[in-house]
Amino acid sequence: PLRVLSGIQPTAGSFHLGNYLGAVRQWVALQETHDAFYTVVDLHAITLPQDPAELRSNTRLAAAQLLAAGLDPERCTLFVQSHVPEHAQLAWIMNCLTGFGEASRMTQFKDKSSRQGADRASVGLFTYPILQVADILLYQANEVPVGEDQRQHIELTRDLAERFNGRFGQTFTVPAPHILKETAKIYDLQDPSIKMSKSASTPKGLINLLDEPRATAKKVKSAVTDTGTEIRYDAENKPGISNLLSIYSTLTGAGVAELEQKYAGKGYGALKTDLAEVMIDFVTPFRERTQQYLDDPETLDSILAKGAEKARAVAAETLSQAYEKVGFLPAK
Ligand code: TYM
């Protein structure tokens, strides 16, 4: 089977709806058809300042949420990035193949560093995408399931894989992005011109999956909609309603056209009330399952230990090929 790899940052609190619909949902589906590797990227997390105790608990929390969302350790390899030292090792080689100007063009770095104040941003934040390149190439991934905001990083991965292969001989699989059109970009509920995100969204526009379900329902009901009354998918002229239709459609499996029909002649209020219910039905069991994993940290840690072992076997093989190609003298 083809292989997929993807990663998610261990953020404080909980994943948001954009993480789930844009990425994690695809991860769950792909474990059925692909050889799937998924990682909680704690090395990436420290590109911004982290409290050590919180980083540790957020890493467990991230893994618990991934399992609650439906990742099955029997069907995929779930691991913590820092448990597999090969990531940092291959990243160094990739750093040395990346042009300074090339790295400077990464838009996510520009956004994040300008938010921090460019001078205070770490060099780690600058080389963040190159570590991501190593994550992907170590597993010889054919596809990388992510949201639209990661497309540029996958392009960099392809460029560096081709560069390495061109210079040293065929070593790495050149991966393709796996980005689903309907959920590539989930928008803020209060400002549908920006993507839903922890850093840019206001609390009312951001659906955190572990929030109190009634609070989440309230946010859905007070989502900003557009002028007019017609419920129709039109991302350009009706971004608010279109975002709600995408979310509704993905969570229920009902097609957008089907939903347009169902709500023909009804107001925005009817759609929002129903979507609020759909959301409650989704987040309530998700919260419960996450809590169950958190209540049993030994099981959680042993799942992650087994995942790291499986991941390391693959990563070590790729790294040793890369070391040899580059010309490092083997240690005797
Ligand atoms: P992160 O942790 O920011 O986000 C995890 C995933 O969620 C997707 N996403 C969204 N999708 C749709 N709409 C949104 N509003 C939205 N917000 C976030 C992201 O596209 C991502 O897929 N750099 C990565 C983590 C990473 C990685 C990797 C990914 C590290 N190594 C290797 C793939 C392969 C990141 O920061 O994701």
Side-chain angles (χ1 to χ4, degrees):
L2 293 179
R3 192 170 279 166
V4 292
L5 174 125
S6 197
I8 191 161
Q9 298 205 53
T11 48
S14 103
F15 295 156
H16 61 71
L17 189 64
N19 297 139
Y20 176 71
L21 294 179
V24 177
R25 221 182 111 81
Q26 275 65 259
W27 299 11
V28 175
L30 288 164
Q31 67 183 345
E32 305 301 334
T33 49
H34 287 65
D35 186 16
F37 288 78
Y38 302 124
T39 179
V40 178
V41 294
D42 53 351
L43 299 178
H44 278 105
I46 66 163
T47 56
L48 298 176
Q50 299 287 334
D51 173 80
E54 278 172 28
L55 177 60
R56 213 160 0 250
S57 75
N58 289 335
T59 301
R60 276 212 186 95
L61 179 61
Q65 289 179 88
L66 292 173
L67 293 164
L71 290 190
D72 176 353
E74 302 292 321
R75 291 187 161 74
C76 70
T77 302
L78 173 62
F79 67 100
V80 174
Q81 188 187 31
S82 67
H83 293 178
V84 182
E86 286 80 2
H87 289 246
Q89 294 175 289
L90 183 62
W92 178 254
I93 296 178
M94 292 298 155
N95 275 321
C96 298
L97 284 185
T98 308
F100 199 86
E102 191 176 28
S104 306
R105 286 192 290 277
M106 294 293 118
T107 57
Q108 220 169 47
F109 168 72
K110 289 194 235 172
D111 292 348
K112 289 191 188 178
S113 59
S114 67
R115 229 176 283 134
Q116 274 213 312
D119 279 348
R120 266 189 299 160
S122 69
V123 175
L125 189 66
F126 184 62
T127 60
Y128 176 118
I130 303 165
L131 176 59
Q132 182 167 350
V133 168
D135 297 341
I136 298 166
L137 297 185
L138 271 179
Y139 298 90
Q140 309 284 10
N142 305 94
E143 287 179 39
V144 186
V146 286
E148 181 61 39
D149 60 357
Q150 298 300 310
R151 189 183 288 279
Q152 196 186 30
H153 293 169
I154 314 300
E155 276 305 315
L156 177 69
T157 309
R158 294 171 58 85
D159 290 346
L160 287 173
E162 280 166 1
R163 191 170 307 161
F164 189 104
N165 291 345
R167 201 168 295 175
F168 301 108
Q170 179 58 40
T171 309
F172 295 114
T173 302
V174 180
H178 173 96
I179 300 175
L180 294 191
K181 203 163 140 270
E182 314 80 65
T183 49
K185 195 167 179 185
I186 300 297
Y187 295 89
D188 182 289
L189 295 193
Q190 287 297 315
D191 179 358
S193 72
I194 60 170
K195 72 168 180 185
M196 186 178 286
S197 88
K198 290 255 178 195
S199 47
S201 296
T202 60
K204 278 184 73 185
L206 175 73
I207 301 282
N208 282 310
L209 299 184
L210 294 176
D211 280 356
E212 175 60 40
R214 274 166 309 174
T216 294
K218 216 169 137 191
K219 288 186 192 176
V220 172
K221 286 188 192 158
S222 56
V224 162
T225 38
D226 318 285
T227 54
T229 53
E230 200 193 345
I231 294 179
R232 174 169 53 84
Y233 189 93
D234 176 352
E236 185 122 333
N237 301 302
K238 292 170 155 286
I241 276 298
S242 301
N243 190 37
L244 295 182
L245 283 170
S246 301
I247 295 170
Y248 196 152
S249 159
T250 314
L251 285 178
T252 59
V256 167
E258 200 181 314
L259 292 173
E260 285 173 339
Q261 235 173 24
K262 180 172 175 189
Y263 290 100
K266 299 187 184 157
Y268 291 159
L271 173 82
K272 290 201 255 181
T273 304
D274 290 353
L275 179 56
E277 282 302 315
V278 166
M279 202 73 86
I280 288 180
D281 290 346
F282 169 66
V283 295
T284 305
F286 176 80
R287 276 178 112 209
E288 284 166 12
R289 285 197 296 267
T290 301
Q291 193 55 51
Q292 284 165 9
Y293 284 107
L294 291 176
D295 287 342
D296 185 0
E298 268 159 46
T299 301
L300 190 60
D301 290 355
S302 95
I303 289 171
L304 294 174
K306 285 200 195 98
E309 202 182 313
K310 282 201 279 173
R312 249 198 120 164
V314 177
E317 170 62 29
T318 308
L319 185 75
S320 80
Q321 287 171 26
Y323 267 35
E324 197 203 316
K325 293 273 172 64
V326 166
F328 291 154
L329 179 68
K332 272 281 173 249

